[in-house]
Structure formats: C-alpha cells, structure tokens
C-alpha cells in the first residue's frame, strides 16, 4: 500500500500491533517511502496534538486514559526517592500507564503495596503518564516474606528464612501459585492481620530448591531486593556498543601498563605502571601511572544503561556469583582492560618524591593496551625471587619499578598514619557443586598493599583536581567517631589495662598507638574489634567532610567505575572539567547529586548486608554436620537475649542464648555491655576467650546456636538452665550493686 493511510487506519494498526509503533514500523506497514514519510509524520503529529496518540521516545501509543479518580497500588520508591504507583483498574490493551505520586505535607506516609484512592492528572512530555494525589487509603501495606513452602491439606505454610523471624504464614488453597513442597518462595501478606491464628499470605514468586547448590546467594539477592536481571532494553543498548577508537585520545598503547587482580577476577578496571623520575629536580622520585577503564564513554547520562547502573548503585559479590552493575558486554568485555587489547581509559600521571609525597599530577583520556594480566600471588612470588614465565620478562621494566614506587608511598603512609586495623579476612571457598570446601584466611601480600596505595593516590588526585576546577563531584566521606563511641572504646581499653588519651583532638595516630599497645597481647583482637565498632560508616556526599580513617582531607572514588556508580560520576566530572567531550556530567545529574549520594550509599549497605547473610548461611552449612563439636572463640557481642561468639576456626558468628547460660539469672547492663550472673557475679563481656559446643546450625537461615562450656578457662557451673522469667528482686539488686562497684573502680582508674 503506497497511499497515505487515514487517521482511523493508523490508530487501528497501533492498537493491533502494540510492539510495532515506531514511525518506521508504521511506514513499512503501509508501504510509505521517500517524500511520503513527511505526510505520515504530519498525520502522526496531528493525532498526537488531538490526544489520540502519545509519543514516547520514538514510538506512538494509544493512551487509553484512566478515570480521574482511580484505585492504584503504590510501588517501591525509584532511584530518586520518588513514589510511583500502578493502576488497578487498567483495561487498556497497551502498556500500563506510569503514575507519579505527588505528596502534600499533610499526607500520611505511603509504603510499597499500599492501595489508595487517588486523583489523577494526565501529563505530557514526562517519563510518567499521570500525576496522582492521595484521596484516602484503601487496605494496608502487605508484608513480604521469603521462605520455604510446605504443602498442607488446606493449601500450605511458609517457613521464613530470616534468622530473626520465627513466625510461619498460612497460604490458602487458591494462593499457592503452584508452589511445590520444599520450594523457596516469595510471598506477601493476604488480607488484614487476624487476631488469632497464623497470618495469611499468597505466593507471588517461586524461586526453586533452597537446598540446591549455589542457592544460598540467590536467597540473599531476593531477600535484599538486589536487581539480578537486566531489562531487555539495557542489554540491547550494551550489545550495540562498539570499541572506542583513538580519536580525541592520547595514544598510550606502547606504555607497559599491567593489571594485577585476584586470580578469579572477572573484570579488570585498573592498570598501573611506574618508573624512576628522570626530572633532575626530583632525584630519587618516581612517576606512577594509573589507568582506569573509561566506562563513561559507553554509559551516557540518561541512557537505559545509566538508569539501570544508578538503580543498582554497585556490583554485589558472593562466593559463587557476581551481580554486576553493568551487563557483561561492558563489565567483562569493552570496559575490561584485557591483555593485549586496545581499551579506552582515563589515566592519571602522578609524580612523587623519594619520600612518597605527591608533587604533581595530570589526567588524560587515552587508549591503552595492557602488557599483561597478572594476579597478586604471582606478582608477589616474582618480587620474592621466583618469577614465572609470564612475570620474568617484566621484572626490570615493570614489577621492580612498581615496588620501588610503593616503598616510597609506604614512607608517606607512615607519616600520614591512616587507621591500621588488623582484622584477618576469611574467604569461603566453594567446590564445583556449590558446597563449602573450606574457609580460609585471605592473605595480605605486599602486592595487595601496592595496588591499594596506588589507587588511594589516584583517588586523592581526582578529588584535588575537581576541587581546584570547582567541579561538582561525589566525595567518599568518613567522619570521625562520636564522643559516645570514643568513651566506650576508652572504657574497653582501660579495662584491658591500656590507654587511649583524652582531652585532645582525635587523630588516627592516637588509635594506632592504642592498637600497637594491644598487639601481641590477649586483648589484641578485642581492641581491633572495638576500634572498628567505634568507627562511623563511610558514605558518599557532594559535600566534603574528609576521610578520617585514611587521614585525608579530600577523597573521591575514581578507580572502579565498572562496579561503583560513584566512580562513574567522578569520571563524568573529570570529562566535563577537562572539556574532553559531551559525555560528562549533565545538569540534571548535578541537580540530583545529593539524592544520588544517598541512594548509592544505601545500595552499598544493601550489598554488604546481602554478602554478610550469604556468608552466614554458607558457614552454617559448613558446620551443620559437626553438631556437638567444641570450638574456641571470643565474645564478639552482648545483647539482652544472649552473647555472640566469633569462632576461631571459621570466623562464623554464633549465639549463646541467655536461657542456656546456666543455673542463675544473668543481668544485662547496656552501658557496660556485659551480662552479669545474679548469684556468682560472673561477668560475660566483649573479647573474653570461651569454649563452646555447637548445638544448632541452620543453613537456610544462617543461624548458629552455641552452648557455653568455659569462659577464660573457667568451666561453667553444671545444672539445669536458670529461670526464663524475671529473677527475684534481690537477684537484680545484687547484680546492680556489683555492676555499680565495677563502674566505680573504672572511674577511679580514670
């Protein structure tokens, strides 16, 4: 058909073919070519102006309007913190309209799942179709549960997998969603809470066998709401990308930059090289190059890739899988600095003196080619005199100069005195079938420290450059401990016979002095753990508050844009500051930097919690066949309901329930962080050495229960468990007197 179609014909085509609504699709359907496309464009514009069609990007759709007053269901806040909703009365054939909720100051807070009556106003030229205002709330916000489904004659039950949730849910016959007995399911509350009996739920998603190999991380991913599937449009955008060329870039392909990563690394986003400085004015100095994958070249502000990357905030790492921030086409290919392959990068050249002090730096946008992809262990072995075939040719040109520059940076680090905690990291090693093979301590080699120091220096250079050019950016902020936490740390130190000075501006050097006092003593681990707990959590902010832990005035994350959105923002800021192209920070990004900082700080914490929960479950699975075995450990936490113990062998955290602590009542002193026996006066506190017996290990929840056998070499009294209710008043008084006496002693020591 070559004749221009009528308006009804166009509307009929769009209604019958909702996935073929681009102008070229319509033109192809009606055989329109050449100059006739201009007439088609005119008719489409008329239909849009008349309200019959609505243009979204390059496609047209029949808007099928919603009633001005509709029942809608509130969804989760988006990356900007905006609340959206979906209509429950939608009968149109096209995609569901998107509703942005506009809250008034007098409106009650809305939560995900709330059903409300809303007044809707249609909008145009926005990413949403309607704006909604609350009239009144309908129903309640359904609670979510992740658990194991058990089939019953009435339908089924759900056993939650959360360690702290012992409540079961009842699933009516018609709400099982086809779930099979023993399957892992995601469900939500169905109907109002009943006064008696189990709460009701309906299955909304089946997740498979919870005991299957490698299912542990999947549980954490769903439990914490980490997006693990990329939308089709995001993958399509990534797949369409082509490698960057040399145009507009500095040619760095002959520079012997190398990547040094863990042996199982899936992406390589940083490379480095160093050499002796040939500047006569900097005798004994070094030039250090750090090159970082140019992710900003591929992920532009506002693109589908950018929206998804910001939503995720960061990659999440588990023993058996990675949930990446970017699709594999970018994270594992175009943005990964593979050996021998030209790759786009943003690099910084840093000049340091013989004492490791940075003299100058400059950034370039370049094209590099990695001379080698190495792992930490082989680099360290090469440095220690046993290079393999791959490292041997690189010793004089690359590896030895890297270590020479690192030696200089160590001098500067020692003067700066960043916080020097000694907390060995344990790594869960899985077999091919997904089961825990071992739990090993992670080695801390000089090769690890070398890369860390280079990255810290590059991050400082990025922050300094953007500050000097008055460019907006995201800082990595770590504020100093609160006075309350410092007082608690000081009390812990004094109880151990150590000193943390008071009455002066706190510096990391003071904390390092405390750690040095404890080193090699029985209190070593206690002081390291207590110091860590005194610290605030680092976060992202467009305002610079410095980095206390690193003892730096300004710090920004620049070196990992493949796995952290914060670094991508810093890259874009550098692009804008140097006027390297039009793919720098957009005005919209600058306006929402505060929201972005809060969002990615939240996603970072979300990933940390999911990774911790995954390790807990793997460790519980690893220990589940050793019930009754005895282990050594230290008290790592005190709560009203019991004491936590970190086991020496695996680093697993288990709970000694207070009800199992013996024949007497134990009084919880929140201020002192202790449990005290009402009869014997026995005190259980942080850092004490204990011997415990494993009584329970639940792989599905990650819960580990222990029985206390001895504390600081003293056996626990034998006999039936103590009273589970409140103790006699005289016992409380006795315990309180003993606690006050200890506090007075501590005050006298001060």
């Amino acid at each position: 058909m070559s004749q221009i179609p009528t308006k009804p014909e166009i509307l009929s085509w769009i209604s019958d073919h909702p996935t073929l609504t681009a102008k070229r699709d319509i033109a192809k359907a009606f055989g329109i070519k050449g100059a006739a496309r201009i007439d088609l464009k005119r008719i489409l514009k008329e239909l849009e102006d008349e309200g019959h069609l609505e243009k979204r990007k390059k496609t047209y759709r029949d808007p099928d309007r919603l009633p001005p007053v509709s029942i809608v269901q509130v969804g989760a806040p988006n990356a900007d913190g905006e609340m959206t909703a979906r209509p429950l009365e939608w009968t149109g054939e096209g995609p569901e309209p998107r509703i942005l909720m506009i809250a008034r100051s007098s409106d009650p807070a809305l939560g995900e799942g709330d059903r409300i009556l809303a007044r809707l106003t249609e909008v145009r030229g926005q990413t949403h179709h309607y704006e909604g205002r609350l009239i009144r709330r309908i129903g309640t916000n359904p609670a979510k549960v992740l658990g194991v489904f058990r089939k019953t004659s009435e339908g089924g039950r759900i056993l939650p997998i959360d360690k702290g949730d012992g409540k079961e849910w009842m699933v009516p016959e018609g709400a099982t969603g086809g779930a099979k007995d023993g399957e892992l399911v995601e469900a939500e509350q169905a109907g109002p809470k009943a006064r008696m009996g189990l709460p009701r739920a309906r299955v909304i998603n089946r997740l498979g066998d919870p005991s299957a190999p490698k299912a542990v991380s999947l549980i954490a991913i769903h439990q914490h709401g980490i997006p693990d599937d990329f939308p089709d449009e995001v993958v399509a955008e990534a797949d369409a990308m082509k490698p960057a060329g040399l145009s507009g870039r500095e040619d760095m392909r002959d520079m012997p930059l190398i990547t040094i990563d863990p042996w199982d690394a899936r992406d390589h986003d940083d490379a480095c090289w160093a050499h002796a400085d040939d500047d006569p004015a900097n005798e004994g100095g070094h030039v250090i190059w750090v090159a970082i994958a140019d992710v900003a070249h591929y992920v532009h502000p506002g693109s589908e890739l950018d929206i998804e990357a910001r939503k995720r905030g960061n990659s999440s790492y588990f023993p058996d899988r990675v949930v990446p921030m970017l699709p594999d086409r970018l994270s594992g290919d175009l943005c990964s600095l593979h050996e021998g392959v030209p790759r786009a990068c943003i690099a910084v050249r840093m000049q340091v003196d013989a004492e490791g002090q940075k003299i100058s730096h400059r950034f370039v946008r370049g094209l590099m080619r990695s001379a080698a992809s190495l792992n930490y262990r082989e680099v360290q072995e090469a440095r220690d005199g046993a290079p393999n075939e791959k490292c041997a040719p690189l010793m004089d040109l690359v590896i030895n100069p890297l270590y020479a520059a690192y030696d200089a940076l160590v001098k500067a680090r020692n003067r700066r005195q960043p916080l020097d905690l000694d907390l060995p990291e344990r790594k869960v090693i899985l077999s091919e079938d997904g089961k825990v093979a071992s739990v090993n301590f992670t080695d801390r080699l000089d090769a690890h420290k070398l890369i860390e120091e280079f990255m810290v220096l590059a991050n400082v250079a990025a922050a300094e450059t953007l500050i000097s050019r008055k460019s907006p950016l995201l800082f990595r902020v770590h504020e100093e401990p609160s006075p309350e936490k410092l007082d608690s740390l000081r009390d812990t130190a004094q109880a151990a016979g150590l000193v943390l000075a008071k009455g002066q501006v706190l510096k990391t050097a003071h904390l390092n002095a405390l750690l040095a006092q404890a080193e090699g003593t029985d209190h070593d681990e206690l002081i390291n753990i207590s110091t860590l707990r005194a610290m605030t959590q680092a976060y992202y902010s467009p305002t610079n508050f410095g980095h206390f832990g690193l003892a730096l005035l300004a710090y920004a994350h620049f070196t990992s844009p493949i796995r952290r959105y914060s670094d991508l923002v810093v890259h874009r800021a550098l692009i804008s500051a140097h006027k390297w192209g039009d793919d720098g920070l957009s005005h919209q990004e600058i306006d929402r930097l505060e929201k972005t900082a809060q969002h990615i700080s939240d996603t970072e914490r979300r990933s940390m919690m999911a990774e911790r929960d995954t390790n807990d479950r793997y460790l519980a699975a690893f220990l589940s066949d050793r019930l009754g075995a005895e282990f050594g450990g230290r008290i790592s936490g005190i709560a009203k309901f019991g004491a936590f113990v970190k086991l020496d062998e695996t680093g697993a955290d288990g709970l000694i329930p207070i009800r199992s602590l013996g024949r007497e009542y134990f009084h919880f002193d929140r201020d002192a962080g202790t449990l005290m026996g009402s009869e014997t006066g026995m005190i259980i506190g942080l850092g004490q050495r204990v011997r415990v017996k494993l009584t329970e290990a639940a792989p599905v929840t990650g819960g580990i229960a222990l029985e206390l056998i001895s504390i600081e070499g003293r056996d626990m009294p034998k006999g039936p468990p103590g009273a589970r209710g409140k103790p006699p008043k005289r016992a409380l008084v006795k315990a309180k007197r003993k606690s006050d006496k200890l506090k007075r002693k501590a005050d006298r020591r001060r």
Side-chain angles (χ1 to χ4, degrees), residues 44 86 181 197 256 440 446 532 569 595 629 710 722:
L44 291 172
R86 57 179 290 267
D181 187 70
N440 298 332
D446 279 348
L532 177 64
V569 171
K595 290 182 177 179
S710 66

Side-chain angles (χ1 to χ4, degrees), residues 255-271:
M255 195 176 292
L257 291 154
I258 65 169
T259 63
I260 306 176
D261 295 288
W263 66 269
D264 57 349
R266 305 185 188 191
D267 53 60
H268 310 277
D269 52 8
D270 58 84

Side-chain angles (χ1 to χ4, degrees), residues 29 76 84 151 260 275 313 352-353 357 359 415 438 484 517 584 665 750:
T84 58
K151 190 75 174 173
I260 306 176
H275 62 84
V352 300
D353 62 22
Q357 194 68 33
I359 299 172
R415 288 194 305 274
S438 62
E484 295 77 17
Q517 292 176 58
Y665 177 82
R750 292 195 194 98

Side-chain angles (χ1 to χ4, degrees), residues 127-180:
T127 58
H128 54 276
H129 308 86
Y130 291 87
E131 290 180 349
R133 292 188 182 273
L134 174 70
I135 298 176
R136 61 182 172 85
R137 192 192 301 260
I138 297 174
T140 58
N141 182 24
K144 295 290 180 67
V145 60
L146 188 71
V148 177
F149 179 80
R150 291 300 180 191
K151 190 75 174 173
T152 67
S153 57
E154 295 85 15
R157 290 192 179 189
I158 295 174
L159 283 61
I161 62 171
D162 288 333
K163 282 185 282 189
D165 191 354
K167 178 176 59 179
E168 294 184 12
W169 295 70
M170 190 268 283
V171 183
E173 181 64 43
T176 63
K180 297 178 181 179

Side-chain angles (χ1 to χ4, degrees), residues 663-667 675-682 727-728 730-736 738:
R663 299 172 299 176
E664 59 185 325
Y665 177 82
F666 274 81
H667 169 70
L675 292 169
M676 179 184 291
S678 59
E679 300 298 329
T680 64
M682 174 183 287
R730 64 178 181 276
L732 280 176
V733 171
K734 187 175 180 181
K736 184 69 169 64
K738 195 150 239 174

Side-chain angles (χ1 to χ4, degrees), residues 520-538:
T521 71
D522 290 341
H523 307 291
D524 193 349
E525 189 172 2
L526 167 64
I527 297 301
N528 273 272
I529 292 174
S530 300
T531 302
L532 177 64
R533 289 185 174 178
M535 295 299 105
T536 60
Q537 191 162 18

Side-chain angles (χ1 to χ4, degrees), residues 51 75 124 187 222 291 304 350 391 419 437 481 517-518 530 591 599 617:
R124 289 173 178 264
H222 282 271
E304 297 293 344
M350 298 171 288
C391 293
L419 188 61
Q517 292 176 58
S530 300
D591 290 342
H599 172 68
R617 290 188 173 97

